[in-house]
Amino acid sequence: MSAPFDELTAGRRAWIARAGLAELAATIGAPGRAAVAARPDLLARVDQHAAAIRESLGGALLDPVALAGYSAAIRDAARDAGEPLDDWSRPTWAMLRLLAVCCLVP
């Protein structure tokens, strides 16, 4: 039986967060960066999302655990709503927000 996330050591929480962020980088970050390279108009939108994330999470020094939790909530909400997370020809708000998270990972 595993312990609730809050009862894990800080090191274990960080490891879990980094694993989640690595998976996000592979599924959203890599294709999203390719889309931005092909469509420079997306860059400004991703930058705006990154600024909003920084503000909502409390500043420039972003903790991987906070970023992982934030991105998991965005991804879960998008999936629950049936939003696609893989069509970069028409990126959704959630896709751009998740790509911004990828850009903010230290």
Side-chain angles (χ1 to χ4, degrees):
M1 178 184 279
S2 63
F5 191 76
D6 291 342
E7 294 178 13
L8 298 174
T9 65
R12 184 72 174 148
R13 280 193 305 273
W15 185 88
I16 292 168
R18 290 226 178 260
L21 291 170
E23 190 268 333
L24 184 69
T27 59
I28 298 288
R33 285 186 173 104
V36 167
R39 290 185 49 200
D41 61 299
L42 294 178
L43 182 58
R45 293 169 64 192
V46 172
D47 285 345
Q48 289 173 341
H49 281 277
I53 293 167
R54 270 192 223 97
E55 185 177 319
S56 71
L57 294 181
L61 297 175
L62 296 173
D63 170 26
V65 174
L67 284 171
Y70 184 83
S71 65
I74 299 289
R75 187 174 11 200
D76 290 347
R79 286 182 178 158
D80 290 349
E83 289 184 36
L85 293 175
D86 58 358
D87 183 2
W88 285 99
S89 67
R90 293 177 19 185
T92 64
W93 179 94
M95 292 169 67
L96 295 171
R97 198 67 156 206
L98 292 170
L99 180 55
V101 169
C102 292
C103 294
L104 292 171
V105 172

